[in-house]
Amino acid sequence: MNKITIAIDGFSSTGKSTVAKQLAKKLNYVYVDSGAMYRAVTFYAMQNGLISDNDFNSEALIYQLSNINISFKYNKALGFAEVYLNDINIEKQIRTLEVSSFVSQVAAISEVRLKLVEQQKKMGRDKGVIMDGRDIGTVVFPAAELKLFMIASAQTRAERRFQELIERGDKVEYKEVLNNVQERDYLDSNREDSPLVKAEDAIEIDNSNMTLDEQFNKILQLVKMTIEDCE
Ligand code: CDP
């Protein structure tokens, strides 16, 4: 069967990674969470004193970019690849609200994007890849055979993210999660370099009122149709 490239973009907490993981398992494709890479760079900046309260030393981060090596290693028990920063597993540390509150500023820096996009393109060279993020269908894989653009209301998304954080044991308020979701929507959509926009040929999926099963089946159908069209 022909292997294709699947690009999934959309606002924060629209369930992109959930469906991407399900599809990767079903199709035996590689799943790449591009957001984890921007989160890893943000985590590096926090660890190295480049971010404190509301001060962000972007020049120092740009200068230190060559010290940052991001990789993924498949975790069989979890069923997906975890992210590593300079060979240290940081999968759990990058999911905090603190990282979320700085990541969009880091992701707006062109030098950061250049480095990560180059790596992402390499990861997709052999097809059979599903990547989710903000600019996958527009910048990373403009020729992807299937592009999805996921949307859901801000309240639905904040509720989902709030539940995830609470289940992890993080102490967060719903209101601050909602604020973060809305702030990132704004920053990601309005930055100059590779803003979040729906690619012209992307299929929009609003999952506000869909169960996970409904969403998966609908998208799997689209994947099957796309693969047939390519044969
Ligand atoms: O999972 P969630 O929706 O919270 O976001 P994510 O996919 O982990 O991405 C975190 C942040 O990284 C986004 O808010 C964007 O600022 C940035 N990002 C990006 O600029 N380009 C991508 N391809 C992926 C993420």
Side-chain angles (χ1 to χ4, degrees):
M1 203 155 61
N2 261 343
K3 290 224 174 206
I4 62 165
T5 302
I6 304 174
I8 308 182
D9 289 303
F11 295 99
S12 84
S13 317
T14 36
K16 302 180 296 288
S17 68
T18 304
V19 75
K21 283 176 194 160
Q22 288 172 314
L23 285 176
K25 198 168 172 198
K26 177 87 185 169
L27 304 166
N28 202 15
Y29 274 28
V30 173
Y31 162 56
V32 181
D33 174 357
S34 71
M37 301 171 73
Y38 291 92
R39 288 175 176 274
V41 175
T42 308
F43 183 71
Y44 172 92
M46 287 164 61
Q47 265 198 325
N48 288 275
L50 310 181
I51 291 177
S52 57
D53 291 331
N54 275 328
D55 190 42
F56 168 37
N57 189 345
S58 54
E59 271 177 30
L61 178 63
I62 292 167
Y63 188 72
Q64 293 180 33
L65 274 179
S66 58
N67 298 342
I68 301 178
N69 176 35
I70 299 168
S71 55
F72 288 94
K73 282 188 200 135
Y74 188 75
N75 179 324
K76 215 173 167 190
L78 291 174
F80 64 89
E82 295 180 296
V83 68
Y84 285 68
L85 171 63
N86 296 332
D87 287 325
I88 295 171
N89 185 330
I90 53 159
E91 181 64 34
K92 197 161 177 346
Q93 290 95 310
I94 60 164
R95 308 286 168 194
T96 61
L97 191 54
E98 204 190 353
V99 170
S100 297
S101 66
F102 289 109
V103 66
S104 290
Q105 288 179 61
V106 171
I109 301 172
S110 292
E111 287 83 352
V112 171
R113 305 203 69 82
L114 202 67
K115 176 183 168 92
L116 299 189
V117 168
E118 191 193 352
Q119 190 178 347
Q120 289 155 6
K121 285 186 184 217
K122 278 189 194 146
M123 290 191 274
R125 227 173 4 207
D126 300 330
K127 299 211 171 197
V129 70
I130 305 167
M131 195 175 290
D132 76 334
R134 303 292 185 282
D135 60 343
I136 311 305
T138 50
V139 176
V140 182
F141 301 132
E145 288 84 356
L146 179 62
K147 298 180 188 179
L148 302 173
F149 192 80
M150 315 264 291
I151 59 167
S153 75
Q155 282 72 18
T156 304
R157 294 185 284 123
E159 185 58 42
R160 289 176 186 158
R161 185 50 50 95
F162 176 66
Q163 287 305 335
E164 271 173 30
L165 290 166
I166 293 292
E167 275 161 29
R168 281 168 39 113
D170 290 5
K171 292 193 173 39
V172 292
E173 302 277 338
Y174 169 75
K175 187 82 186 108
E176 54 179 350
V177 176
L178 178 63
N179 284 344
N180 175 255
V181 160
Q182 289 171 325
E183 187 186 52
R184 279 200 289 140
D185 286 356
Y186 181 81
L187 292 174
D188 293 345
S189 307
N190 289 284
R191 68 181 174 221
E192 237 165 74
D193 190 346
S194 318
L196 169 62
V197 281
K198 178 174 170 282
E200 262 175 36
D201 48 351
I203 299 168
E204 186 167 288
I205 311 251
D206 182 345
N207 63 18
S208 304
N209 297 310
M210 275 186 204
T211 64
L212 285 182
D213 271 354
E214 283 166 353
Q215 165 174 285
F216 177 59
N217 288 327
K218 182 182 167 89
I219 294 177
L220 187 60
Q221 215 37 49
L222 291 172
V223 171
K224 284 183 177 160
M225 278 160 48
T226 309
I227 292 176
E228 272 168 27
D229 282 352
C230 292
E231 275 168 356

